[in-house]
Amino acid sequence: VMPLRREGISSEDFTEFIKVQVAQILKLPVSQLDLTKNLQDYGFDSLMALELRNQLEQHLNTSLPTPQKLTTLKALIAYYAKN
């Protein structure tokens, strides 16, 4: 996996990158993801959050905290954009 550099991509590209990662974990098309819909409505659980974190660490080549109590994809993206 080639590392992705957050500082080298736009916020739109970073949003799309996270959406693709979440869609792959959920086994859903990216087009079905709504940024404001509760992630639990998609069946996204704590094990999936760990899987996402592990994928992001690999792609971003950095250590990341596991998100806690993030309700929407928009909140998840904002969380990882800051960390």
Side-chain angles (χ1 to χ4, degrees), residues 1-80:
V1 173
M2 181 171 295
L4 176 72
R5 301 191 66 177
R6 280 181 289 181
E7 64 274 3
I9 63 172
S10 69
S11 60
E12 293 84 13
D13 288 342
F14 188 70
T15 295
E16 190 62 26
F17 170 73
I18 299 291
K19 284 176 68 175
V20 167
Q21 300 305 308
V22 170
Q24 288 176 348
I25 291 169
L26 292 170
K27 297 177 178 37
L28 291 173
V30 174
S31 61
Q32 286 188 6
L33 295 179
D34 179 335
L35 290 175
T36 61
K37 186 174 179 181
N38 192 311
L39 287 168
Q40 289 181 338
D41 292 344
Y42 293 111
F44 196 84
D45 59 23
S46 59
L47 292 177
M48 290 176 175
L50 286 173
E51 183 179 349
L52 176 64
R53 189 220 42 212
N54 292 341
Q55 286 182 9
L56 293 178
E57 284 182 337
Q58 188 175 19
H59 284 288
L60 299 172
N61 200 27
T62 190
S63 179
L64 295 168
T66 302
Q68 303 293 323
K69 300 179 184 174
L70 295 175
T71 56
T72 66
L73 188 54
K74 185 176 181 178
L76 185 72
I77 291 165
Y79 175 81
Y80 278 123

